[in-house]
C-alpha cells in the first residue's frame, strides 16, 4: 500500500497545489468582500472589522434584489422550458427509427457549433419586427431556443440506453406512447434530466451576451448585467469592498448548486455515456 501511494504521489502534487491555490484565492475574495477599500490596498483584510454593509448596500442602494429575482426567473423558466422541448425530441430520436432521423440528429449537433454572436443581429431584428423586445419572456425564449440543441444531443444518449422492455411492460398495462413516456421513461431518465438542468442553470445564471442585447433596462436586467454596472460605478467611487461583495453575490448561487449536485453530474454523464 505504501509503495502504491508513493507511485501516485506525483499525480496528487499538482492537484494539491491547485486546490491550495483555489482555497487561498477564494478565501481572499471572501475576506475582501467584508473589508474596507483601505484594508484591501494595505493588505490588512478585516483590519477595520467585518463590513457587512458592503452586502447590505448592494440590496438597499443598488437594488440588487430585483436583479437577483430576475435572474432566478430567467434561470428557472429557461431550465424548465429546455427540458419540456428537448426531452420529447430526444426521446423520439433515441427510441424511434424513421427515415431522416440521422439527418435531424446531425442538424441538432451542427446547431451547437453556431456562435451566438453570429445569430444575435438576426435575432434582434426578428424580435424588433415582432415587437417582442423589452420583456422577460423574450430572453427566456432565446435561452430555450439556443440551448435546446445541446439538450437534445445530451438526452438522446440517455433515452437510447433505456431497455425496450420498459415500454413493452407499460403497453401491456394499457399505457399509450405518451403516457408511457411521461410515467415510465422520464422517471428512468431522471439522472440525465437533472444533469442537463444543472448545466443549463450554470449557463443561464452566468449568461451575459444575450442579456446585454435583449434585457438591458431596469425592469429586465439580469444579475450579470447588474454586476457590470456596479463594478463600473464602484470603481469610480473607489468602493472595492463593494465590488468584491457584488462578485460574491453573483458567484455563490452557482457555486452552492454545483457543490451539492456535483456527484449527480458525474453519475449522469457516466450513465449517459453507455450508448451516448
Amino acid at each position: 500500500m505504501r509503495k502504491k501511494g508513493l507511485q501516485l504521489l506525483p499525480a496528487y502534487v499538482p492537484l494539491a497545489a491547485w486546490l491550495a491555490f483555489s482555497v487561498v484565492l477564494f478565501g481572499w475574495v471572501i475576506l475582501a468582500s467584508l473589508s474596507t477599500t483601505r484594508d484591501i490596498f494595505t493588505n490588512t483584510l478585516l483590519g477595520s472589522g467585518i463590513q457587512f454593509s458592503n452586502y447590505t448596500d448592494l440590496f438597499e442602494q443598488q437594488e440588487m434584489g430585483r436583479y437577483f429575482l430576475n435572474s432566478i426567473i430567467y434561470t428557472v423558466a429557461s431550465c424548465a422550458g429546455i427540458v419540456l422541448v428537448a426531452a420529447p425530441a430526444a426521446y423520439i430520436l433515441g427510441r424511434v427509427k424513421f427515415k431522416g432521423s440521422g439527418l435531424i440528429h446531425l442538424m441538432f449537433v451542427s446547431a451547437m457549433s453556431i456562435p451566438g454572436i453570429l445569430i444575435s443581429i438576426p435575432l434582434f431584428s426578428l424580435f424588433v419586427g415582432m415587437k417582442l423586445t423589452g420583456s422577460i419572456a423574450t430572453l427566456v425564449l432565446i435561452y430555450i431556443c439556443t440551448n435546446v440543441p445541446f439538450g437534445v444531443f445530451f438526452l438522446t444518449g440517455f433515452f437510447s440506453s433505456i431497455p425496450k422492455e420498459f415500454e413493452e411492460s407499460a403497453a401491456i398495462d394499457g399505457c399509450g406512447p405518451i403516457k408511457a413516456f411521461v410515467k415510465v421513461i422520464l422517471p428512468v431518465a431522471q439522472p440525465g434530466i437533472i444533469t442537463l438542468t444543472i448545466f443549463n442553470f450554470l449557463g443561464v445564471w452566468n449568461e451575459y451576451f444575450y442579456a446585454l442585447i435583449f434585457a438591458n433596462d431596469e425592469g429586465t436586467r439580469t444579475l450579470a448585467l447588474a454586476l457590470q454596472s456596479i463594478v463600473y460605478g464602484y470603481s469610480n467611487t473607489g468602493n472595492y469592498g463593494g465590488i468584491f461583495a457584488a462578485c460574491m453575490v453573483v458567484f455563490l448561487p452557482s457555486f452552492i448548486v454545483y457543490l451539492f449536485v456535483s456527484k449527480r453530474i458525474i453519475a449522469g454523464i457516466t450513465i449517459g455515456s453507455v450508448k451516448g
Side-chain angles (χ1 to χ4, degrees):
M1 292 293 293
R2 180 177 297 179
K3 184 178 180 180
K4 186 177 180 180
L6 292 175
Q7 291 175 346
L8 294 175
L9 184 61
Y12 284 110
V13 170
L15 179 61
W18 174 83
L19 180 62
F21 173 78
S22 301
V23 170
V24 170
L25 184 63
F26 185 60
W28 190 93
V29 173
I30 293 177
L31 295 179
S33 70
L34 296 169
S35 303
T36 63
T37 301
R38 179 183 178 85
D39 294 338
I40 293 173
F41 281 95
T42 58
N43 201 24
T44 56
L45 299 179
L46 301 182
S48 301
I50 299 177
Q51 306 296 321
F52 289 111
S53 59
N54 290 340
Y55 286 91
T56 57
D57 289 347
L58 290 174
F59 292 91
E60 293 176 359
Q61 299 177 9
Q62 302 296 327
E63 297 184 349
M64 208 164 188
R66 175 200 296 180
Y67 308 130
F68 194 92
L69 179 61
N70 285 347
S71 289
I72 291 177
I73 294 173
Y74 285 127
T75 304
V76 173
S78 299
C79 290
I82 293 167
V83 172
L84 287 175
V85 176
Y91 173 74
I92 295 297
L93 290 175
R95 309 290 287 180
V96 181
K97 299 300 180 182
F98 58 92
K99 188 176 181 179
S101 60
L103 177 61
I104 295 175
H105 187 266
L106 181 62
M107 291 174 62
F108 278 110
V109 175
S110 301
M112 295 167 53
S113 64
I114 301 176
I117 193 171
L118 183 65
I119 62 175
S120 59
I121 296 178
L123 277 176
F124 184 76
S125 301
L126 176 64
F127 279 97
V128 168
M130 298 172 63
K131 297 181 180 181
L132 293 176
T133 57
S135 68
I136 291 178
T138 298
L139 193 55
V140 170
L141 182 61
I142 291 173
Y143 284 152
I144 292 174
C145 293
T146 54
N147 286 285
V148 159
F150 174 74
V152 173
F153 169 77
F154 188 82
L155 290 178
T156 299
F158 284 87
F159 289 124
S160 62
S161 65
I162 298 175
K164 294 285 187 180
E165 287 75 12
F166 283 96
E167 292 159 305
E168 294 172 357
S169 299
I172 293 174
D173 292 336
C175 292
I178 297 178
K179 189 175 181 180
F181 170 69
V182 174
K183 297 290 186 178
V184 179
I185 303 301
L186 280 183
V188 175
Q190 185 180 10
I193 294 174
I194 292 176
T195 304
L196 176 64
T197 302
I198 294 167
F199 281 139
N200 290 329
F201 175 89
L202 297 176
V204 174
W205 182 265
N206 298 298
E207 201 280 328
Y208 175 81
F209 180 71
Y210 289 120
L212 179 63
I213 298 174
F214 295 96
N216 198 15
D217 59 73
E218 292 290 331
T220 60
R221 187 173 297 170
T222 66
L223 203 56
L225 289 180
L227 177 62
Q228 180 204 29
S229 177
I230 291 170
V231 169
Y232 180 78
Y234 279 176
S235 297
N236 292 333
T237 60
N239 185 3
Y240 287 90
I243 291 176
F244 285 112
C247 292
M248 290 302 301
V249 170
V250 177
F251 168 72
L252 278 178
S254 56
F255 176 74
I256 292 172
V257 168
Y258 181 80
L259 196 65
F260 282 99
V261 300
S262 57
K263 291 184 178 180
R264 286 185 175 271
I265 294 177
I266 297 172
I269 294 175
T270 304
I271 295 174
S273 66
V274 174
K275 288 191 178 181

